[in-house]
Amino acid sequence: MIQIISDQTEAFTYCCDSRIKRLEPIDSGEINKTVAINYRIIGGYNDNAVEVSWQVFEKRETVEWVYIKTFTGGQLKYVTNPRKSSFIFALADEDAYVYCDEDPCLECTFRCKRGFEIFVYLKNSGLIKLPIERMQASW
């Protein structure tokens, strides 16, 4: 995975004498018959984290890695155990800021983690994107 900060992308478009193919993410709703991806914001003021879980419905598909993009950067975890179905991404600094101390998060109108994104790479289907912006009105 490569993140290009500048507009000058031509210098980064080749690797091993081949043009790099850009991974265009698929919305998680478009692939929910193949895999279901979910998240929870857990912890509270002092130990904030995002738990990403998945359930694969088609045997031909496997989750290769999960990346969470945050305000200050991101974290990448590879799935080395095929029986694994969740990861916990610990947050710190500005990424851990919350308005309340609920565990798990009530997903209220403040949406503390709005702007965060989860990317899941599936072996056959490619890159899946899930924004962290869910909001519940019944808290």
Side-chain angles (χ1 to χ4, degrees), residues 24-85:
E24 295 295 337
I26 302 167
D27 184 80
S28 63
E30 295 178 28
I31 198 152
N32 58 6
K33 292 182 180 175
T34 304
V35 63
I37 304 165
N38 198 11
Y39 68 87
R40 292 185 323 148
I41 301 167
I42 56 176
Y45 285 127
N46 296 325
D47 52 359
N48 207 283
V50 176
E51 179 182 28
V52 179
S53 59
W54 60 89
Q55 182 178 3
V56 178
F57 302 119
E58 293 185 11
K59 291 186 180 190
R60 68 175 184 86
E61 200 62 85
T62 57
V63 174
E64 299 282 310
W65 50 261
V66 179
Y67 177 79
I68 182 169
K69 180 179 153 273
T70 66
F71 299 132
T72 62
Q75 298 177 47
L76 175 67
K77 294 190 179 190
Y78 290 97
V79 181
T80 57
N81 179 352
R83 291 178 291 208
K84 187 138 181 95
S85 62

Side-chain angles (χ1 to χ4, degrees), residues 8-25:
Q8 299 174 343
T9 58
E10 286 303 313
F12 297 100
T13 57
Y14 289 90
C15 177
C16 305
D17 297 325
S18 298
R19 187 171 175 85
I20 294 174
K21 182 181 176 187
R22 183 182 178 104
L23 291 175
E24 295 295 337

